[in-house]
Amino acid sequence: MNDAAPNAHSAAPARRLGDNAPLRLAEGGLIDRSRTLAFTFDGQRYLGHPGDTLASALIANGVRLVGRSFKYHRPRGILSAGPEEPNALVELRSGARREPNSRATTIELYDGLVAASQNRWPSLKYDLLSINGLAGPIIGAGFYYKTFMWPAAWWEKVYEPLIRRAAGLGRAAGVPDPDTYDKANLHCDVLVVGAGPAGLMAALTAGRAGARVVLCEDDFRLGGRLLLDRREIDGRSALNWVAATEAELAAMPEVRILRRTSVVATYDHGTYAAVERVNDHVAEPPSHEPRQRLWRIVATRCVVAAGATERPLVFPGNDRPGVMLAGAVRAYVNRFAAIPGRRAVVFATNDDAARTVDDLAHCGVDVVAVVDARPQASAVMADATQRASARHISGGAVTRVHGRLGVEAVDIRAANGATARVACDLVCVSGGWSPNVHLASHLGGRPEWDATLAAFVARNLPERMDLAGAAAGDLALADAFTQGHRAGSAAAEACGFSAASAPIPLLDPESTATSPLWRVTGTRGKAFVDFQNDVTTGDLELAHREGFRSVEHMKRYTTLGMATDQGKTSNVNGLALMAELTQTSIPATGTTTFRPPYLPVAIGTLAGHHRGKEFRPTRLAPTHTWAKEQGAIFVETGLWLRAQWYPTPGEKDWLESVDREVRAVRSAVGICDVSTLGKIDVQGPGAAAFLDFLYTNTMSTLAIGRARYGLMLREDGFVMDDGTVSRLGPEHYVVTTTTANAAGVMAHMEHAQQWLRPGLDVTLASVSEQWAQLSVAGPRSRDVLRAVVDPAHDISDAAFPYLAVAEVSAMGGIPARLFRISYSGERAYEIAVPAGYGDALVRALMDAGRAHGIVPYGTETLGVLRIEKGHVAGNEISGQTTARDLGLGRMLSRKKDFIGRALAERPALVAAGRPALVGLKPVDRSLRLRAGAHLVAQGAEPTAANDQGYVTSVAHSPTLGHWIGLALLSGGATRHGERVRVWDPVRSGDTLAEVCDPVFYDPAGERLHG
Amino acid sequence: MCRGAPTGRRLPTVRYSISSLLGQAITGNRGWKPAWRRTEPKPVYDALIVGGGGHGLATAYYLAKEHGMANIAVLEKGWIGSGNIGRNTTLIRSNYLLPGNIPFYEHSMKLWEGLEQDINYNAMVSQRGLLNLYHSDAQRDAFARRGNAMRMHGVDAELLDREEVRAFVPYLDFDNGRFPIQGGLIQRRGGTVRHDAVAWGYARAADRLGVDILEHCEVTGIDVVDGRAVGVQTTRGAIRAKKIGLAAAGNSSRVAALAGLRLPIESHVLQAFVSEGVKPLIDTVVTFGAGHFYISQSDKGGLVFGGDIDGYNSYAWRGNLPMVEDVAECGMALMPMLGRLRVVRSWGGLMDMSMDGSPIIDKTPIDGLYLNCGWCYGGFKATPASGWCFAHTIARDELHAFNAAMRLDRFATGHLIDERGAGNRPNLH
Amino acid sequence: MRIPCVYCGERGHEEFAYLGDATVQRPDASSATAAEWHDYGYVRDNPSGSHRELWQHVSGCRAWLVVTRDTRTHAILSVEAARDVALSREKAAP
């Protein structure tokens, strides 16, 4: 931004309005009058300037009615000038970019902006549901808990749909968000949150000391309250100081300024989440840029200088458009040169509001009355009132607001009780300031009540965090500078830098004296505590009457503080009123709990680019490119994308392709990429003993050059994983794991290595990614391999029998590992080469195999082959099965300790009736079996008492010519030959099957040997 | 069984109905009474329930209603409903897999279905359906196994294919998903309940039956004499009791330790999130099958969603950033329309994660001391049945068929109820 | 959270995987009773306060670590290499 002169405030002239908008001052303000921005609100076209927010532009255009409230559909205007706004919520943008509940006060104006009011029908001005206001006595706090119960069936059908339609605020776009989001990490010495006077001072001090500083400012402009208050620093406009400071910070290489960036949450150990609105100030982000960016900031120290939030006053009609926070009014007249009204009443409890009196008078607004709730006249307020030629009422109150769609007049009650009606169109209210202690409280530190300040202040700060300025309860500007400097120095020094002392600027005099007024008593009509959720003093009284007296009960029962603003303007008033009702002190009543985020955060921002195909990384097998060329159909298995089957022309469905692949493996040879299996290299003098401890069977007796099937249990005795263990040398093994458990088994082994068996000298390395591994299976597999494995290596059955393993070379000197292991039950090999050669290997094998009828096969065929052989896989190793359940009881060594051995012997794990692995064949061989179907005895009813197990895996076996299944069935092998009912109501299945041995094909295992 | 007459001062109650609402409206709503009495602890009770959350309050209600025990008190260290009943994602379902769980959760569902009329409190039980998505053949078969198990127990379950899911919830990412949606398992009787109202409704109903609800009454000791629990020490004085039931959720280990018990429990933080209120957008409950994410929309309009536990022992009542991101990522992967909707609040609750992911409702080795814990992050939906079964176990000194499998000694015997097959790793359940 | 790995320095906890209580000891297989195995497998102190626990730096050096952390505040009180802890435990054992 480079627009208005820095000394714009002091140049503001009186009483002359601008031309393009009725309530725009002719001069002054931090807006760029040289450019005009057109925007629409509810279809009406208006003009504003760069530097405007939507709220300031609406005010300049004389728009007061901006929204409708949640429950009573009360007309609402603009209350604040910041993120605490509860009323002026709009639907911003249109179509897929529509953002409901957007705060007009924080929307930076851009050309072509489109906004619409929400939660009203048919129009903002005439909203039919405003009839709810008349039903107020019936639909007070918690009314819905007391009714809509009869008839019971009507809740979902009648009552709830009506309530849901009436509830909610704006409308979501309902279609995918077209924008992109980004995430990034930022590490720094000192994070400064907020670039008001305290934050700027802290950043400057730490920056000058040489610390790496990140300064985050929610606003698009640095300066904080110096932008809205006409203050002098060292005898000049405060804006000069802001400009000079900003320039100095910008010139420091170790200082990073993030504008439009809200630090929204504090996490443990100096971690913060911040949201940068990279492109919310334009109609659409440029195609190469994100809309927003989530910054994960890690800071050694943090200075929170997040300012304070002004509290409204609670009196009847306090929600009418035209009732505004006094500080916000200053922001509109001073920063935006827009006057929210022409005849103002100021109603306040503190001297800070005197500035509003002065500033209104300065720009020509007629201040008709200044109502100071304090019974003791304040000299500061009296002087300002006099300068503005207004009536001064000490100990008075506004008791009523006239006007439906906006303030037309107020009733003012003087200290003596006399009430007078005063015409006005603007009521500036101030009930004091609440420090923004949210970030200091996210880690659970409860803020404490400060009676002098009449506000909660942060105590028990998180480690590494400091507060400065108004956020710390130091409301005076002088304190903001002093404390900002102190905090900046301390933070820099904590990071090992030494900060120089700096002169604190000289300031004009100020007073922050305040005295709380929690509500105006002796009045009638709805006085709102929480504007957005329509929580009135009457609701709090009702909650109190019904016993909802603890803060959290009150909040939850009345919904106070639970709207999009999370009670930024309402929580303290609500708490104080409950304290009044229970006749206890505020500290005894409790504190509110501050939960992240400080400001609402778009879900898209938190997700970053992790959506669609980019949700999670995609792992590709080494032969992926080749498989794609073959027209493979791929399937997601975990993070991997694997070839599922390879259709050939003329095949009408997947089953036909898979049947062909299976037949080819059984009759000739097939090839499949099994690189996704976990591969772990185990070396060292302790390797053998280590593997004995990990596997249920013994690996120390494995001969060099041999492989063995291995089974692992979890320590709780259930099966964890299976795979092969191959011994390459006396102290060198390589083991495989299933694809799904590759990472888990590696961590499990490292746990055993480092924690359970630290004394064993053994080293582990995951080599899953380093080796491409292909299965070559089928009667002709050796013939194919012979052409690829270098001739020096003898792979004859005599030299290289079933379960042999060797380190060989292939394709002319490429190092390779050859394993004669079989998942399919056929003569089969797995050959591994360095991953980069995987593509070359598959091409070489396919070339060599062409003469032998080689086909590539995918995971479907892999599954059929293993089911025909009764091998268990992930469906059976479900984490709920024991080795005995799976027919692998013989693999539990009795001679050694191994992980899981002891707990596997618990009574229920060895009980006789446990479901155990069997095979199933449909009695009617033309019928299909489905995994997940449950089993009951033939003729039995499918009831819980009769449940005997379920089908774990099924396949169509082209070898047998019908569907087959594996199942876990009570009684297991003792049931062979029986018929069972296979019940699958969720897929309308109900058929009979024969129980058989799970090994359907070649039970003697002869084909393994060729 | 001692049926001591309630001795606390009984306040006249106003029955909730549209006519009482109208009547009160005319008289300025001045006639409403406290939903539950504030009272001083009596020196002796027939039964004490430690923990004024949903489960504890429900237990007290069913002890009074089903077992005629009126001289009982609920002890709550803070305000009632301040634990997980006040900070959850409001889902109810009975779509479990294992026979140790299904009858219990189905009993809970049936109690939900009649709850409001029973306790005269509208807890907004909304059976808008709960859909678990599957993204692979193996997941489909696992869901079929579960759906079939539910059907065997007489529970409703339907397996939907991709097009049926698309017709039901068209706004999911069907065309560009990293893990394409293949279908889902739906329980149409599943849904949501207004969580706070459950605590308040049970409290009010229990109060009307004479139960004393003692807030800000923290148990600091459990008196055990000769292997029998005889009373508790509290911040409001000593209280003797014939029976003591512990329903302390995330604080179960701490409370049990007062009686010298160590539990198969770890306490973990689960975060949950709510968005700004929007007009009706999602009218069912959807859970993602390729990550941890579940979402529904409250009657007020906020989207309520959550994911996995943070994954390490904690009593800190707050979460950490990586899980926030994970949840949002899953949300965007599933429903890319969520991008511009904003989270307004996140919170963390303490989950009593058991070693097999299933709860414990049982007697303990100490006579007169009963245990209700291990709810992991599924305790809300169990609230009615948990209270009902715990009341039965306390009153009769035996387990009911519904909680027969939820024994404390099952870890020793191996009769685990491990729905996920994750083993003795609480943070994986 | 930020965990200071003994080998890699302070890193975000998302780089680490959590296992749990580091005070439970795997019983001696030659002599342990079923009750001891049950306690090892299932029973935890689950303290509110200082907790010794196992983490693995899975996205870093793969070291298993014994982290002592306050479960009320998440403050990390100490971090040791699990192998070192285990070795000194073995040395101390009779």
Side-chain angles (χ1 to χ4, degrees):
Chain A
M1 296 300 298
N2 173 23
D3 31 53
N7 60 350
H9 285 168
S10 52
R15 293 170 209 288
R16 207 162 65 80
L17 295 173
D19 42 9
N20 73 10
L23 295 177
R24 178 80 75 189
L25 295 166
E27 286 177 44
L30 299 168
I31 51 171
D32 177 7
R33 286 182 168 75
S34 68
R35 287 171 54 213
T36 299
L37 306 175
F39 69 101
T40 68
F41 176 65
D42 276 348
Q44 176 77 42
R45 188 167 180 276
Y46 301 100
L47 299 176
H49 296 295
D52 261 326
T53 63
L54 174 59
S56 71
L58 287 170
I59 285 172
N61 282 282
V63 177
R64 305 172 79 193
L65 175 61
V66 179
R68 288 278 174 171
S69 67
F70 178 74
K71 185 160 155 187
Y72 301 127
H73 289 248
R74 304 256 300 187
R76 293 286 164 81
I78 294 162
L79 178 75
S80 74
E84 68 272 31
E85 178 63 32
N87 287 337
L89 306 185
V90 301
E91 289 175 354
L92 179 65
R93 299 185 165 87
S94 59
R97 288 192 168 84
R98 185 167 69 207
E99 291 149 39
N101 312 326
S102 298
R103 299 173 300 269
T105 50
T106 62
I107 298 166
E108 197 173 336
L109 198 68
Y110 55 85
D111 199 39
L113 181 147
V114 175
S117 58
Q118 55 186 35
N119 200 31
R120 79 289 184 276
W121 189 85
S123 74
L124 185 56
K125 209 165 167 188
Y126 304 101
D127 179 1
L128 278 181
L129 275 179
S130 59
I131 195 170
N132 283 0
L134 298 175
I138 304 170
I139 61 172
F143 80 98
Y144 27 76
Y145 300 129
K146 298 170 180 163
T147 185
F148 304 127
M149 285 178 273
W150 302 271
W154 277 33
W155 175 251
E156 283 94 346
K157 290 193 179 73
V158 181
Y159 302 130
E160 191 180 44
L162 284 173
I163 289 173
R164 297 190 81 192
R165 270 203 291 279
L169 291 162
R171 300 163 303 151
V175 295
D177 185 351
D179 287 338
T180 57
Y181 298 85
D182 186 23
K183 295 189 202 186
N185 298 298
L186 207 46
H187 294 252
C188 62
D189 296 316
V190 182
L191 168 66
V192 179
V193 182
L200 285 171
M201 199 62 181
L204 192 63
T205 309
R208 282 174 178 164
R212 179 174 294 184
V213 176
V214 171
L215 173 63
C216 295
E217 170 54 50
D218 189 50
D219 206 324
F220 52 88
R221 183 186 277 279
L222 306 190
R225 73 166 119 156
L226 298 177
L227 303 177
L228 58 97
D229 278 349
R230 293 181 303 135
R231 298 296 298 257
E232 290 197 347
I233 296 175
D234 295 332
R236 299 172 64 199
S237 163
L239 298 174
N240 290 82
W241 183 86
V242 173
T245 304
E246 189 174 344
E248 186 177 346
L249 286 170
M252 293 181 185
E254 292 295 326
V255 173
R256 180 166 195 159
I257 302 172
L258 292 171
R259 287 178 190 75
R260 303 184 176 98
T261 302
S262 314
V263 179
V264 292
T266 305
Y267 293 100
D268 288 313
H269 309 153
T271 307
Y272 303 85
V275 175
E276 181 182 9
R277 293 175 299 282
V278 184
N279 277 302
D280 275 357
H281 59 296
V282 295
E284 280 182 25
S287 60
H288 60 285
E289 282 188 16
R291 174 189 168 221
Q292 296 186 353
R293 178 179 292 123
L294 177 72
W295 287 102
R296 308 178 189 105
I297 302 176
V298 177
T300 308
R301 302 290 304 181
C302 176
V303 178
V304 174
T309 300
E310 197 167 25
R311 292 192 297 261
L313 288 165
V314 180
F315 57 94
N318 61 341
D319 64 323
R320 292 296 181 202
V323 179
M324 297 178 69
L325 293 172
V329 168
R330 295 204 294 278
Y332 290 113
V333 300
N334 293 333
R335 175 174 172 183
F336 300 108
I339 57 168
R342 293 166 197 271
R343 276 175 67 82
V345 167
V346 176
F347 178 23
T349 64
N350 56 72
D351 286 352
D352 185 65
R355 297 190 173 277
T356 304
V357 177
D358 276 332
D359 292 354
L360 285 171
H362 177 77
C363 63
V365 173
D366 188 7
V367 183
V368 287
V370 175
V371 184
D372 192 331
R374 295 171 291 186
Q376 305 291 326
S378 145
V380 172
M381 198 68 114
D383 290 350
T385 310
Q386 198 174 16
R387 285 194 293 275
S389 313
R391 263 182 71 197
H392 184 213
I393 301 121
S394 273
V398 172
T399 56
R400 190 175 170 189
V401 176
H402 300 274
R404 196 176 68 83
L405 297 178
V407 177
E408 291 165 10
V410 293
D411 288 353
I412 296 173
R413 185 176 65 200
N416 64 8
T419 299
R421 180 169 173 156
V422 175
C424 60
D425 59 1
L426 174 65
V427 183
C428 311
V429 296
S430 179
W433 294 80
S434 298
N436 291 330
V437 297
H438 305 65
L439 292 173
S441 307
H442 282 168
L443 297 190
R446 289 292 176 113
E448 285 175 13
W449 184 251
D450 180 321
T452 315
L453 205 59
F456 283 102
V457 292
R459 293 285 182 265
N460 312 312
L461 293 178
E463 274 182 281
R464 322 183 195 191
M465 183 186 280
D466 201 351
L467 262 67
D474 296 319
L475 296 179
L477 187 54
D479 294 336
F481 284 122
T482 320
Q483 295 301 320
H485 180 267
R486 179 201 55 76
S489 305
E493 276 161 19
C495 299
F497 301 90
S498 58
S501 64
I504 300 301
L506 272 173
L507 301 170
D508 48 351
E510 60 190 330
S511 165
T512 59
T514 186
S515 169
L517 168 72
W518 301 120
R519 65 164 153 180
V520 177
T521 52
T523 59
R524 296 184 57 197
K526 283 196 183 81
F528 288 85
V529 185
D530 184 310
F531 293 103
Q532 196 183 132
N533 269 354
D534 279 337
V535 179
T536 65
T537 50
D539 291 321
L540 295 181
E541 286 162 5
L542 180 60
H544 175 256
R545 198 171 297 135
E546 297 196 78
F548 294 92
R549 295 174 187 186
S550 83
V551 183
E552 288 290 336
H553 282 152
M554 171 195 80
K555 281 185 62 177
R556 288 153 187 259
Y557 195 64
T558 64
T559 74
L560 181 133
M562 299 180 83
T564 63
D565 57 329
Q566 290 288 291
K568 290 188 176 59
T569 55
S570 63
N571 278 340
V572 174
N573 283 342
L575 194 65
L577 290 174
M578 185 52 76
E580 211 172 279
L581 288 166
T582 53
Q583 298 175 333
T584 53
S585 66
I586 290 174
T589 305
T591 59
T592 54
T593 311
F594 295 97
R595 298 281 188 186
Y598 169 58
L599 297 173
V601 177
I603 295 170
T605 309
L606 295 170
H609 69 272
H610 295 272
R611 55 183 282 197
K613 296 289 186 203
E614 309 303 316
F615 167 52
R616 291 291 179 256
T618 302
R619 299 178 75 180
L620 300 179
T623 60
H624 183 82
T625 306
W626 172 84
K628 217 170 159 184
E629 287 167 19
Q630 309 310 306
I633 304 298
F634 292 96
V635 63
E636 296 78 10
T637 56
L639 295 180
W640 291 100
L641 209 52
R642 297 186 71 184
Q644 193 174 12
W645 69 86
Y646 293 82
T648 58
E651 286 172 344
K652 63 183 184 303
D653 62 11
W654 66 275
L655 194 55
E656 197 177 334
S657 306
V658 172
D659 281 353
R660 173 185 48 75
E661 292 173 11
V662 173
R663 277 192 294 264
V665 173
R666 295 263 180 252
S667 64
V669 59
I671 185 170
C672 180
D673 191 333
V674 293
S675 308
T676 61
L677 296 175
K679 300 181 271 304
I680 300 167
D681 211 68
V682 183
Q683 297 193 39
F690 179 71
L691 293 176
D692 279 349
F693 179 58
L694 275 163
Y695 286 91
T696 65
N697 47 335
T698 308
M699 298 301 172
S700 50
T701 55
L702 187 62
I704 294 167
R706 306 293 289 178
R708 182 171 286 168
Y709 177 65
L711 186 71
M712 266 182 197
L713 306 187
R714 296 187 309 229
E715 191 72 280
D716 70 351
F718 290 88
V719 176
M720 179 179 191
D721 201 50
D722 66 352
T724 54
V725 176
S726 304
R727 192 166 196 172
L728 300 178
E731 298 180 0
H732 187 191
Y733 291 81
V734 60
V735 309
T736 64
T737 76
T738 59
T739 299
N741 290 331
V745 169
M746 183 69 194
H748 175 73
M749 289 175 68
E750 287 163 330
H751 175 254
Q753 172 211 25
Q754 296 172 41
W755 181 244
L756 299 179
R757 288 291 180 267
L760 289 178
D761 187 357
V762 59
T763 307
L764 308 174
S766 168
V767 293
S768 302
E769 309 236 322
Q770 280 66 35
W771 292 93
Q773 192 152 320
L774 301 184
S775 169
V776 186
R780 312 294 293 274
S781 51
R782 187 181 53 190
D783 303 331
V784 178
L785 276 169
R786 185 61 280 170
V788 174
V789 173
D790 290 343
H793 307 287
D794 181 358
I795 60 169
S796 69
D797 283 359
F800 202 74
Y802 177 55
L803 294 177
V805 173
E807 291 184 284
V808 298
S809 64
M811 298 184 289
I814 306 301
R817 287 172 176 177
L818 190 62
F819 308 85
R820 185 157 171 195
I821 51 181
S822 175
Y823 199 48
S824 59
E826 302 297 330
R827 167 194 288 278
Y829 303 80
E830 289 183 12
I831 178 168
V833 293
Y837 292 103
D839 182 81
L841 178 66
V842 72
R843 291 175 199 275
L845 287 167
M846 285 301 289
D847 284 347
R850 199 149 293 129
H852 303 287
I854 197 168
V855 301
Y857 65 94
T859 56
E860 288 294 328
T861 292
L862 207 57
V864 176
L865 295 168
R866 72 100 184 164
I867 292 168
E868 286 182 337
K869 285 297 294 176
H871 292 314
V872 295
N875 290 7
E876 289 76 31
I877 302 177
S878 60
Q880 298 161 324
T881 44
T882 67
R884 292 180 187 89
D885 295 346
L886 303 181
L888 302 173
R890 65 184 186 285
M891 294 184 67
L892 304 173
S893 168
R894 299 251 155 220
K895 296 179 187 154
K896 60 172 181 117
D897 181 24
F898 57 85
I899 290 178
R901 175 176 171 173
L903 289 169
E905 299 303 323
R906 284 177 288 171
L909 273 70
V910 297
R914 283 182 70 91
L917 191 73
V918 296
L920 291 180
K921 295 176 181 175
V923 170
D924 177 345
R925 297 283 200 260
S926 68
L927 294 180
R928 180 171 182 174
L929 294 174
R930 289 184 193 274
H934 280 241
L935 305 176
V936 295
Q938 185 178 10
E941 285 305 305
T943 62
N946 291 336
D947 194 359
Q948 295 192 330
Y950 72 101
V951 182
T952 56
S953 300
V954 299
H956 180 260
S957 167
T959 317
L960 277 70
H962 59 82
W963 284 84
I964 57 174
L966 298 177
L968 290 164
L969 176 67
S970 300
T974 65
R975 307 282 297 272
H976 288 178
E978 271 186 48
R979 288 181 171 190
V980 291
R981 183 172 172 188
V982 182
W983 194 64
D984 186 29
V986 298
R987 287 170 296 201
S988 308
D990 190 354
T991 183
L992 282 180
E994 240 173 73
V995 180
C996 61
D997 189 276
V999 185
F1000 294 90
Y1001 180 67
D1002 184 27
E1006 288 161 353
R1007 299 181 63 85
L1008 292 168
H1009 304 282
Chain B
M1 191 56 49
C2 172
R3 299 198 177 199
T7 52
R9 194 167 61 88
R10 297 288 294 278
L11 295 183
T13 55
V14 181
R15 188 172 165 74
Y16 291 166
S17 68
I18 185 67
S19 53
S20 66
L21 264 181
L22 289 168
Q24 288 293 336
I26 292 164
T27 56
N29 284 308
R30 288 182 215 287
W32 295 114
K33 302 298 176 196
W36 60 93
R37 291 162 295 136
R38 276 172 171 60
T39 181
E40 287 305 311
K42 287 184 278 183
V44 186
Y45 287 94
D46 291 337
L48 290 177
I49 306 302
V50 180
H55 292 221
L57 293 164
T59 303
Y61 170 69
Y62 291 113
L63 271 173
K65 181 187 174 229
E66 303 287 341
H67 304 279
M69 293 178 72
N71 184 31
I72 57 182
V74 176
L75 312 183
E76 167 54 49
K77 72 177 162 65
W79 38 280
I80 63 163
S82 55
N84 295 338
I85 192 81
R87 54 191 80 246
N88 58 72
T89 43
T90 81
L91 307 185
I92 60 167
R93 60 185 174 90
S94 57
N95 59 353
Y96 280 74
L97 170 70
L98 299 177
N101 274 331
I102 302 176
F104 172 87
Y105 285 102
E106 178 58 12
H107 181 56
S108 211
M109 182 63 84
K110 291 202 171 101
L111 290 170
W112 284 122
E113 286 170 334
L115 182 73
E116 294 156 328
Q117 289 69 28
D118 186 23
I119 64 174
N120 181 228
Y121 208 94
N122 185 358
M124 305 180 202
V125 176
S126 175
Q127 294 181 286
R128 59 182 70 174
L130 186 144
L131 175 67
N132 297 150
L133 296 170
Y134 61 80
H135 307 257
S136 69
D137 290 354
Q139 205 172 18
R140 175 200 62 213
D141 294 342
F143 281 17
R145 177 189 171 200
R146 180 152 57 95
N148 288 331
M150 292 163 66
R151 296 280 283 267
M152 276 189 156
H153 284 82
V155 181
D156 70 303
E158 293 166 56
L159 197 67
L160 307 183
D161 66 19
R162 176 186 160 91
E163 291 315 307
E164 287 167 323
V165 170
R166 192 197 281 267
F168 184 55
V169 276
Y171 40 78
L172 306 184
D173 191 348
F174 287 94
D175 303 318
N176 191 39
R178 170 70 181 81
F179 302 101
I181 295 164
Q182 291 195 13
L185 181 71
I186 187 167
Q187 183 181 25
R188 296 198 192 270
R189 286 161 66 237
T192 60
V193 178
R194 167 78 184 113
H195 58 297
D196 287 326
V198 177
W200 303 337
Y202 271 124
R204 177 169 167 271
D207 175 84
R208 283 163 57 174
L209 296 174
V211 174
D212 284 354
I213 292 166
L214 305 171
E215 296 180 90
H216 305 289
C217 182
E218 180 169 3
V219 172
T220 54
I222 297 176
D223 302 328
V224 179
V225 178
D226 297 335
R228 179 165 193 90
V230 296
V232 297
Q233 302 295 320
T234 80
T235 50
R236 294 174 70 177
I239 306 175
R240 281 179 293 131
K242 298 193 176 86
K243 299 188 171 198
I244 300 167
L246 308 181
N251 284 304
S252 289
S253 295
R254 295 177 56 199
V255 176
L258 298 175
L261 296 179
R262 294 170 74 226
L263 302 181
I265 297 285
E266 286 182 2
S267 296
H268 286 255
V269 165
L270 177 70
Q271 301 190 63
F273 308 85
V274 64
S275 80
E276 295 177 344
V278 289
K279 292 296 180 192
L281 185 69
I282 297 172
D283 66 353
T284 186
V285 184
V286 184
T287 77
F288 192 32
H292 287 273
F293 182 76
Y294 33 92
I295 188 167
S296 66
Q297 187 172 16
S298 79
D299 285 334
K300 250 188 93 195
L303 305 180
V304 182
F305 56 98
D308 201 0
I309 54 175
D310 276 24
Y312 43 84
N313 285 46
S314 176
Y315 285 87
W317 294 88
R318 61 165 189 272
N320 259 305
L321 182 57
M323 191 51 65
V324 179
E325 295 180 43
D326 183 75
V327 168
E329 289 166 8
C330 291
M332 284 299 282
L334 181 63
M335 295 183 185
M337 70 174 177
L338 298 179
R340 307 180 92 81
L341 299 180
R342 306 181 192 100
V343 178
V344 286
R345 191 174 179 88
S346 66
W347 60 95
L350 297 194
M351 305 296 122
D352 37 332
M353 301 300 295
S354 73
M355 285 283 169
D356 64 356
S358 291
I360 296 160
I361 305 178
D362 199 359
K363 302 186 279 185
T364 68
I366 297 169
D367 287 343
L369 187 68
Y370 304 84
L371 184 63
N372 175 321
C373 66
W375 294 100
C376 299
Y377 51 97
F380 177 68
K381 70 179 91 68
T383 305
S386 169
W388 196 94
C389 291
F390 199 33
H392 180 97
T393 301
I394 293 171
R396 306 278 184 87
D397 222 31
E398 65 184 22
L399 275 63
H400 188 276
F402 291 139
N403 60 315
M406 297 175 173
R407 299 169 59 99
L408 179 58
D409 67 3
R410 68 175 185 268
F411 305 98
T413 62
H415 289 97
L416 305 163
I417 319 173
D418 186 350
E419 291 265 332
R420 283 205 188 179
N424 59 342
R425 292 283 305 276
N427 60 335
L428 300 184
H429 284 290
Chain C
M1 292 198 301
R2 308 272 302 161
I3 298 177
C5 173
V6 292
Y7 300 114
C8 310
E10 187 185 279
R11 302 293 179 93
H13 81 268
E14 62 273 24
E15 290 187 12
F16 300 79
Y18 183 70
L19 183 65
D21 195 331
T23 63
V24 291
Q25 301 291 329
R26 191 172 193 275
D28 178 351
S30 61
S31 60
T33 63
E36 285 167 353
W37 280 106
H38 164 258
D39 285 1
Y40 166 63
Y42 291 99
V43 180
R44 301 291 180 261
D45 283 338
N46 191 23
S48 170
S50 178
H51 188 232
R52 277 171 73 74
E53 58 198 23
L54 282 166
W55 291 78
Q56 188 188 12
H57 195 187
V58 285
S59 301
C61 62
R62 305 286 303 182
W64 280 87
L65 305 169
V66 175
V67 176
T68 305
R69 188 176 57 95
D70 190 319
T71 59
R72 294 164 302 183
T73 62
H74 296 169
I76 290 175
L77 310 170
S78 75
V79 180
E80 302 152 88
R83 188 162 186 271
D84 293 346
V85 175
L87 281 171
S88 57
R89 183 187 65 207
E90 285 198 347
K91 255 185 223 143

